[in-house]
Amino acid sequence: MQITELFPSSLKIALMDYSNGTLADFMPDFYTSLPDVQSHLLYPCAGGLRTLNRPDSFAFQDVNSYLLLYTVAGEGIVQTEGDRNTLTEGSLLLWDCQDYLQLRPAVSQWSIRLVFFSGEAASTYYEEICKISFPVFSCPEHTQVADNIRRLTELGLRTSPHHAIQENRLLTDILSDLLLDLHMDHTNVKVAPHIS
C-alpha cells in the first residue's frame, strides 16, 4: 500500500492538531495511486494551487511525505523547529513533513503551489540537499524548476501509467536540478541559491 491511501487522513489530523485557520483553504487535492507502477518511483500524494489569507496559519508534523512549496505571489513565513524564513515570489521550500513546519501569510494573501510527494528516492535527495544548505531556493518564474512545479500541479489528479511516469520525471527533474545547482556552488550555506 502506498501512502497516498492514508495521506488525506494523516494530513488532516496533523493540521487539526497545529493549525489556526480554515482547513479547506489549505487542504490540497489528493491523488490516487497505482502501486504496481509507482512502487519504485517518486509520486505526488497531494498538491495544487492555494491562496492562504492572513491571519491564518497552518502547521503539521509527523506526516509521511515531503513537501515542495513554491510562492507564486505574496509573501509567507515558514517556521521550523530551529529556523524562520520568509518566502517571497519565486521562493521554493523542500521539506520533510515528519519535521514540524508552520506556514502563515506575511501579507494579506499568499499564493502557493504545493506538492506533497513520496517515493524511495525522496529521502536521498532531501538528505543530500540538507548536507549543503537549508532547503529554501530562489526559482524565479522563468526557470526550469518553477516550470516543472507548475506542470506537476497542472497535470491533474488522473493516475494512469503514463501520468505516473510523467509525475516521476517532473519530480526527479526538480530534485536533481536543485541538488546539482547546490553542488556547483555550495559556498553560501543558508543563502537561497538561484536556479537557472
Side-chain angles (χ1 to χ4, degrees), residues 38 44 155-168:
Q38 294 174 309
L155 274 178
L157 305 177
R158 297 171 295 196
T159 303
S160 66
H162 174 79
H163 281 89
I165 298 300
Q166 200 169 16
E167 291 163 349
N168 176 72

Side-chain angles (χ1 to χ4, degrees), residues 100-138:
Y100 177 80
L101 181 68
Q102 180 189 61
L103 308 167
R104 60 187 155 91
V107 294
S108 60
Q109 291 190 325
W110 182 27
S111 180
I112 58 174
R113 287 191 187 278
L114 49 103
V115 178
F116 289 92
F117 69 97
S118 192
E120 289 182 8
S123 62
T124 302
Y125 280 106
Y126 186 76
E127 289 168 12
E128 289 301 312
I129 287 169
C130 288
K131 286 178 185 176
I132 300 169
S133 175
F134 187 82
V136 172
F137 305 88
S138 175

Side-chain angles (χ1 to χ4, degrees), residues 3 6 15 28 39 41 63 78 91 127 129 153 169 188:
I3 67 163
L6 304 173
L15 283 165
S39 61
L41 302 177
V63 177
V78 174
S91 296
E127 289 168 12
I129 287 169
T153 58
R169 180 181 181 179
N188 295 321

